[in-house]
Amino acid sequence: MKTELEYQPDITETNKLICERYWLREGDKRSGFIYTCREIGQEFDSKHQDIPSIVKANAHLVVLDCQCVDCGKPKICYTRSQLIHLKPDRWQCDECWNIFLERREQEHLKHCLEQERLKEEQRQAALEYINDYRGTQLADVPSVTDLHEVDRLLLAATIDSLGTENLKTTISLRNNLSLALSPFFGLDEHILHHLFKLNLLLLAPEENYDYVNVNSKRELEIDYHQVNFEFAYGTDDLTKAMLDAKSKKNISSLVANPQFESWCQQIQLGECLSYLITRSKLNDLAPPIGEKLVSLFRACLAECSVSVMHYIIYKAVESAAAYVRKPNITRKHASNSISGNIERVFGKICSGSWHPNKSFRDASHAQSAMAKVFFDYVFGIEDCGFNYTLNELFSPYKPKQVLEQMGYSTLGSAQSTNYSITINDLK
């Protein structure tokens, strides 16, 4: 490595010798220094730790074959460590480095501003689309008197659970800590989606922009858990809907309606799914919840009330929790056994070998607004959706030939939906 030592104009002869000793190397080796600072200090009667400072103040080493990749300026070293750690093939002087940093910062700022511009452009386009959608909704709000009776019940349950004090808007499902809309989070979202598609719930774009997305197909994707809606009706109509839900109805007409029966089935199934998830989590278990389990619950609910199903679920989960204590049984094995345990307990109850014990409603699974509206208000029996099967509730109001054909039909949209429970470190 070619170097050249340059001195300060006012350097003394002693300091010049110190600098020469300091930078003297074997050949052109970068780290081949002949004298140590201790040896130089002893020769010139100085402290060895002062030698680098003396050299730095009086001279510097110009590295002739190491030039800045931008401006061509040669590298100047003031200490040995600077020379030893020098990377001559890609060195950049401080001035050029600062220019590079400034240019990069400006480019980054420009990029950020461009991203903000695009984001705001997308935001305005989305708000415009949502506002247009809202306008379409407002132009097609059905008259409250023309609403299907089942939809009026759904609206009443939503008002009861999520309606704010002024009956103008809803609170979000996330912020609802009082009366649950339904027993199960999946059913909550299904209800809100249904009412939104009927134009009974409207979006306030500015307030809900973060929870609404316009996808590539120009369709709205809504986070029903966090969004809050405006009601399409005024306070008088909403109050009337709530009063109508609590008034006496033509029960025979309702139970003959497939939509009413389907929603009742979803409520009872939601009660079972919610209780299963809670009991499983308490035992650090996570059973797979898919169509197979949903079909099993539907079959069980055709014969057993939700209160009996809670007992069956409790026994099944406790059995799985005991199973995991056996050698070589993981929590995943135990979780997968829950479905079989439910089927086994249900079979024993159906065969008469086990008594169908009824459970009391768990405080952590309080009755939902939907259960009250679809069961208590319709049939006039307290928490009857929990304590009775649909067949027991519907049979007094259906002709005999219809009763013989009754079955527990598929759970609405949950037929093709898989729900999952996540437990940390489940093995």
Side-chain angles (χ1 to χ4, degrees):
M1 180 171 282
K2 296 178 181 179
T3 59
E4 182 180 283
L5 192 59
E6 292 185 353
Y7 307 100
Q8 294 293 343
D10 56 349
I11 189 171
T12 64
E13 285 299 321
T14 300
N15 286 342
K16 185 176 181 181
L17 289 172
I18 290 174
C19 293
E20 288 175 350
R21 299 282 197 283
Y22 181 84
W23 286 113
L24 190 62
R25 292 172 291 133
E26 285 184 33
D28 287 332
K29 294 180 181 178
R30 260 197 275 177
S31 58
F33 297 101
I34 295 175
Y35 297 101
T36 65
C37 289
R38 187 174 295 279
E39 290 171 340
I40 298 171
Q42 289 173 349
E43 182 180 351
F44 293 95
D45 195 24
S46 298
K47 294 180 180 179
H48 70 275
Q49 58 264 37
D50 292 338
I51 297 302
S53 299
I54 294 171
V55 172
K56 189 175 182 180
N58 289 275
H60 56 259
L61 190 72
V62 181
V63 184
L64 299 174
D65 50 1
C66 178
Q67 298 176 341
C68 174
V69 293
D70 288 334
C71 68
K73 184 182 192 179
K75 169 67 177 175
I76 293 175
C77 295
Y78 294 92
T79 64
R80 288 175 173 179
S81 62
Q82 290 177 339
L83 180 65
I84 292 170
H85 297 104
L86 183 62
K87 296 178 180 178
D89 55 334
R90 52 192 179 91
W91 176 72
Q92 197 173 28
C93 70
D94 291 343
E95 185 177 343
C96 291
W97 175 249
N98 289 332
I99 292 172
F100 167 74
L101 289 179
E102 186 178 346
R103 184 170 64 247
R104 188 171 66 173
E105 186 176 343
Q106 290 174 349
E107 289 174 354
H108 177 68
L109 179 60
K110 183 180 178 181
H111 174 75
C112 289
L113 290 173
E114 177 63 14
Q115 290 301 310
E116 284 295 322
R117 186 191 68 78
L118 291 173
K119 187 177 178 181
E120 181 59 25
E121 195 175 275
Q122 292 171 354
R123 181 177 183 274
Q124 291 302 324
L127 285 174
E128 184 179 348
Y129 180 84
I130 297 169
N131 271 313
D132 289 345
Y133 190 94
R134 177 187 170 88
T136 304
Q137 281 188 293
L138 286 169
D140 198 24
V141 175
S143 168
V144 70
T145 56
D146 294 336
L147 277 183
H148 192 287
E149 187 166 11
V150 175
D151 294 329
R152 283 205 295 271
L153 294 178
L154 289 171
L155 179 61
T158 303
I159 297 167
D160 211 14
S161 171
L162 303 177
T164 55
E165 288 298 320
N166 60 11
L167 284 185
K168 300 288 185 185
T169 63
T170 69
I171 59 174
S172 67
L173 291 170
R174 179 192 60 184
N175 293 326
N176 181 25
L177 301 177
S178 52
L179 178 63
L181 175 56
S182 80
F184 190 60
F185 64 89
L187 186 53
D188 287 340
E189 296 182 356
H190 183 44
I191 295 165
L192 295 181
H193 175 75
H194 179 80
L195 296 178
F196 178 69
K197 288 300 182 182
L198 290 176
N199 300 329
L200 305 186
L201 296 177
L202 309 173
L203 278 174
E206 291 287 351
E207 296 176 13
N208 294 288
Y209 173 74
D210 291 335
Y211 313 127
V212 179
N213 179 52
V214 181
N215 65 24
S216 58
K217 296 180 181 179
R218 301 291 288 168
E219 298 169 335
L220 288 179
E221 295 175 343
I222 300 173
D223 183 348
Y224 287 98
H225 184 66
Q226 302 202 76
V227 75
N228 32 303
F229 294 97
E230 292 180 4
F231 289 111
Y233 298 127
T235 305
D236 291 343
D237 285 337
L238 295 177
T239 302
K240 186 177 184 305
M242 292 177 68
L243 292 174
D244 287 347
K246 299 177 182 180
S247 63
K248 193 169 182 179
K249 298 171 183 59
N250 183 342
I251 302 177
S252 297
S253 173
L254 269 178
V255 299
N257 188 312
Q259 286 188 43
F260 178 77
E261 183 177 353
S262 175
W263 284 109
C264 289
Q265 290 169 0
Q266 293 183 64
I267 295 167
Q268 290 195 327
L269 183 54
E271 296 263 22
C272 295
L273 289 171
S274 179
Y275 188 68
L276 173 64
I277 291 172
T278 300
R279 292 306 312 175
S280 298
K281 283 185 175 179
L282 287 174
N283 289 279
D284 288 335
L285 298 174
I289 299 179
E291 179 54 29
K292 182 179 178 180
L293 183 64
V294 170
S295 298
L296 174 60
F297 274 157
R298 287 201 302 268
C300 294
L301 286 167
E303 304 291 335
C304 302
S305 67
V306 174
S307 64
V308 173
M309 285 304 301
H310 275 213
Y311 168 75
I312 292 173
I313 292 168
Y314 175 83
K315 295 293 289 183
V317 174
E318 290 301 308
S319 178
Y323 184 48
V324 83
R325 291 194 288 270
K326 292 186 176 182
N328 302 320
I329 299 300
T330 66
R331 292 195 178 278
K332 187 173 183 179
H333 290 140
S335 297
N336 290 337
S337 73
I338 290 176
S339 177
N341 292 343
I342 291 171
E343 194 164 8
R344 178 177 54 82
V345 177
F346 174 65
K348 289 186 175 183
I349 289 174
C350 287
S351 66
S353 57
W354 276 26
H355 180 71
N357 290 327
K358 289 190 174 184
S359 302
F360 293 103
R361 182 177 282 282
D362 192 310
S364 63
H365 293 82
Q367 190 180 23
S368 65
M370 198 176 175
K372 288 182 178 180
V373 169
F374 275 74
F375 287 105
D376 294 22
Y377 297 162
V378 171
F379 297 101
I381 306 171
E382 184 179 356
D383 210 0
C384 55
F386 184 79
N387 294 305
Y388 297 89
T389 66
L390 289 192
N391 189 50
E392 290 170 336
L393 292 172
F394 283 26
S395 59
Y397 307 98
K398 284 196 171 186
K400 283 189 177 181
Q401 62 269 26
V402 176
L403 287 175
E404 292 173 357
Q405 299 172 2
M406 268 191 70
Y408 220 87
S409 62
T410 301
L411 169 70
S413 62
Q415 182 180 9
S416 59
T417 303
N418 287 330
Y419 301 104
S420 61
I421 312 169
T422 301
I423 302 291
N424 290 335
D425 302 323
L426 182 63
K427 295 180 179 179

